[in-house]
Structures are given as C-alpha cells and as structure tokens.
Amino acid sequence: MGAGWAVLDTHSLTELVHQPLVALQALQPAWDQLPPDQHLRDGGRYRRRRHGCFVVDGGRVEAAPPRAHWQPVEYNALHGGIERWFEPLPADWAAQPAWPALLAALAGVAARLRGDGRWYVEAHPFRIDTTDGIGRPTPEGAHRDGVDLVAVILVARHQVQGGETRVFEAAGAHGVRFTLAQPWSVLLLDDERVIHESTPIRPALAGQPAWRDTLVLTFRRHGFQGPGAG
C-alpha cells in the first residue's frame, strides 16, 4: 500500500483469508435481509445496513458488546457527532468459518501498517439501491473514517451504473478513480493517508431494481470511536 491504498482481486482476497470463495459467499444471503438505515439525514431511502463490533488480538477474534456507530464531525460532516444504532449482524455469521478468518487476515494487514496490537473492528454490510432513482454510497462525500485501515469489499452489483470509487491523497492533490466490479474484491485504504468516496448509482435498465452490496470493515488500534469508547 505504498500509495495509501490497494485493490485485491477475488483470488488474492481468498488467498489472504485462506478460505475458498464459496466460504465467503456463504455470508451473502444476509444482504437480502438488511433493514433500512433510519439515520439518513438527507431524507433518502436508498441505504440498508447492519452493524457489529469485534476485537482481534493476536489472531483471536471476539465479538464485542453492541454499541452505537459514532464518527466525529471532522470526518463525517453529515452524520458525525451522533450515536447511530443499527440492527446487529446475522447471528449465524459467527458460525461461518470465513468470518473470523476474514477479520483476522485484515487485522494482519492493519498490523503491517501500524504494528501489532489489539484491533477494534466495526463491520457494516451495506446495500445501496435505487429506490429514490439514484443511490448514494457516500452521502457525506469524500471523507476519512478516523481509523487505521478501511476495507471495502464489493459483494455484488446488480443492474447498476455508476458507483465509481475515488481515492485522494489526504495531504495532496493526487487522486485515482476506478470501479470495483469483481464480486469479493476489496479496496484497502490507509485511513491516515487518503480520503475516499463512491459516486451515486443508478439503474442500468430503466424501471428495474438495481443495487450495490458492500461489506465495509474498519480497524482501529486504540479502541472504538465514540463517547465512552474502549
């Protein structure tokens, strides 16, 4: 991640996680059961999501008690500074071998960036759809998340146009733009060095449902963010 970001294709992700693709795909039915995001301040109806927290320490993955998702206003001008409670992750994910393997492997990437330690992980499965005509993956615009490592895993694109990823230097003018299109490929971001956003999506076929499913995992070394964090 010499530039502060990297993209791994599906094969590279499965090699990193030491799990076959079918094991990752076993998580996928949950995206059809995501509840609506009740916290969208732009009044939209285009986002569905869940949320869960974990701690990874020395390769051991433990679920953390449910907590609100919180970001500072400096990093999220639209939704920062408020406690946002979401429905928990599906209970059966804990029994899927790919889940702890995925978190532990990406914690290893975070450790290569920042050094060994306990990693505080927030997991967000998202579905952005075109209920409102367009869907906004990042309604807050280009942003950082206030963590060490962000992993954006593309799970599916269904009859979608748009959804271009843009990554910019946090302390410079250089940026890149591309579209994640391969299911179970992943964008890795050094959150201290870059800011990122994704452009709105729209239906590829007029009048037909369209959506973009992602799994966003954030890794932070010094505890969870938020009031009473730890």
Side-chain angles (χ1 to χ4, degrees):
M1 294 176 60
W5 65 276
V7 173
L8 302 183
D9 63 14
T10 306
H11 177 70
S12 298
L13 179 61
T14 58
E15 284 201 329
L16 177 70
V17 177
H18 300 296
Q19 292 286 320
L21 178 58
V22 67
L24 293 171
Q25 291 171 328
L27 304 172
Q28 201 156 339
W31 272 263
D32 291 330
Q33 302 172 22
L34 295 178
D37 185 337
Q38 303 291 344
H39 298 282
L40 282 171
R41 285 184 162 177
D42 64 0
R45 301 170 297 159
Y46 52 82
R47 185 158 75 181
R48 295 174 173 271
R49 69 190 295 180
R50 292 181 183 271
H51 176 246
C53 295
F54 301 84
V55 177
V56 183
D57 188 0
R60 186 178 68 255
V61 178
E62 296 182 353
R67 62 184 301 116
H69 177 50
W70 186 92
Q71 293 174 295
V73 175
E74 313 81 283
Y75 295 145
N76 189 330
L78 184 62
H79 297 115
I82 61 172
E83 293 188 344
R84 289 181 285 165
W85 287 93
F86 299 103
E87 293 295 318
L89 300 181
D92 64 351
W93 275 20
Q96 299 285 352
W99 185 244
L102 178 63
L103 299 189
L106 291 173
V109 175
R112 288 194 285 276
L113 283 175
R114 300 286 184 266
D116 292 333
R118 289 168 58 88
W119 292 99
Y120 295 81
V121 185
E122 294 193 51
H124 310 262
F126 287 99
R127 170 166 289 180
I128 308 299
D129 64 30
T130 55
T131 297
D132 295 331
I134 63 171
R136 296 177 175 86
T138 52
E140 63 272 33
H143 65 284
R144 292 173 54 203
D145 288 314
V147 297
D148 290 288
L149 176 74
V150 180
V152 182
I153 300 171
L154 180 73
V155 176
R157 287 172 57 98
H158 178 75
Q159 298 191 74
V160 161
Q161 296 184 62
E164 179 184 72
T165 295
R166 299 177 178 178
V167 183
F168 307 94
E169 293 175 343
H174 181 67
V176 294
R177 48 199 294 176
F178 52 89
T179 300
L180 285 174
Q182 187 181 39
W184 296 99
S185 58
V186 57
L187 168 65
L188 301 174
L189 300 162
D190 181 343
D191 194 56
E192 288 190 359
R193 297 177 57 194
V194 297
I195 59 176
H196 64 281
E197 66 177 341
S198 296
T199 63
I201 63 168
R202 58 192 184 278
L205 300 172
Q208 296 298 310
W211 61 82
R212 178 178 184 262
D213 292 346
T214 56
L215 174 62
V216 176
L217 300 168
T218 64
F219 294 76
R220 193 167 187 265
R221 194 174 177 186
H222 299 298
F224 294 109
Q225 296 188 91

